[in-house]
Amino acid sequence: SLPATKRDMVVRLLEFPERVVEFDGTSLSWSDVRYPGVWGPSIDTVIFAKALKKLFTRTAYLKSVKSLLEIGCGSGFLTKYILKKKKSAGGDMEYAHLMDINQDALLCSMDNLKEVQGRTLISYTLNQAKKPISIIHPYDLIICNPPYIPKPHQNPKNPFEGLFLYKEIFRLAPVMLHSNS
């Protein structure tokens, strides 16, 4: 019931500077000190991973996914989870592309994906808040789990609040997704 800025401040004060998140055999160590301003994995990340786990029970679907785009990658946990699932299904992802508006998030993702990269070609793009997304080619799977949900008493100058990114993804979906995805 606190205004958004006070609520976020209280949450930040109560968080530990380092934490480990583990779900379904994928774990990630994350530090706010090492990667300042990077959104670390939290409960919404695990809920998203649970949804992916359910989707990936369709083994034929998982095997058909050759390329991945994660928009707003943060720590890289979700891409790490997908790469591990793909490997356990019998192969590496051909291509994964991660985007974020925070350079430290891209560095954090790079560090966290080293152990699962295998033969997957991974690239990274530093985007700018509220600027159009630019892609090179379509992907089989696009994921996005950033903290862009509007909050009560939101600050219009905060690029982490609002629905701009989701509108942009829906607008570009026809060109970002392969036609068979």
Side-chain angles (χ1 to χ4, degrees), residues 160-179:
F160 299 109
E161 295 179 345
L163 297 174
F164 169 81
L165 183 59
Y166 292 114
K167 289 177 187 174
E168 181 72 2
I169 292 169
F170 286 127
R171 183 181 73 79
L172 292 173
V175 293
M176 291 194 318
L177 279 170
H178 277 127
S179 58

Side-chain angles (χ1 to χ4, degrees), residues 7-147:
R7 182 187 60 236
D8 291 349
M9 181 180 67
V10 169
V11 168
R12 295 296 291 183
L13 288 172
L14 296 175
E15 286 182 338
F16 291 104
E18 292 188 37
R19 65 178 163 212
V20 174
V21 174
E22 191 277 329
F23 173 75
D24 194 30
T26 300
S27 65
L28 183 135
S29 178
W30 173 84
S31 166
D32 191 28
V33 174
R34 187 167 179 200
Y35 305 106
V38 175
W39 291 84
S42 61
I43 189 66
D44 62 311
T45 310
V46 174
I47 291 169
F48 200 109
K50 280 181 151 183
L52 288 169
K53 180 180 180 179
K54 189 170 187 177
L55 177 65
F56 294 158
T57 60
R58 297 174 26 214
T59 310
Y61 171 75
L62 181 57
K63 287 183 178 183
S64 74
V65 175
K66 308 262 190 259
S67 59
L68 161 70
L69 171 62
E70 182 173 5
I71 302 169
C73 62
S75 65
F77 181 87
L78 291 172
T79 293
K80 184 175 184 177
Y81 180 74
I82 293 168
L83 293 179
K84 284 189 80 167
K85 284 297 186 189
K86 180 73 174 174
K87 190 176 294 281
S88 70
D92 288 317
M93 185 80 60
E94 289 178 12
Y95 184 72
H97 189 92
L98 290 83
M99 298 179 167
D100 206 290
I101 61 171
N102 182 337
Q103 182 174 346
D104 290 322
L106 298 177
L107 295 172
C108 184
S109 292
M110 285 178 198
D111 289 346
N112 286 315
L113 296 178
K114 286 177 185 173
E115 70 181 79
V116 296
Q117 181 171 355
R119 295 184 318 204
T120 302
L121 175 62
I122 301 177
S123 62
Y124 302 86
T125 298
L126 179 64
N127 289 344
Q128 292 182 339
K130 299 199 177 196
K131 297 288 182 182
I133 297 168
S134 177
I135 64 161
I136 298 169
H137 56 75
Y139 300 86
D140 297 322
L141 176 63
I142 299 172
I143 61 171
C144 180
N145 184 37

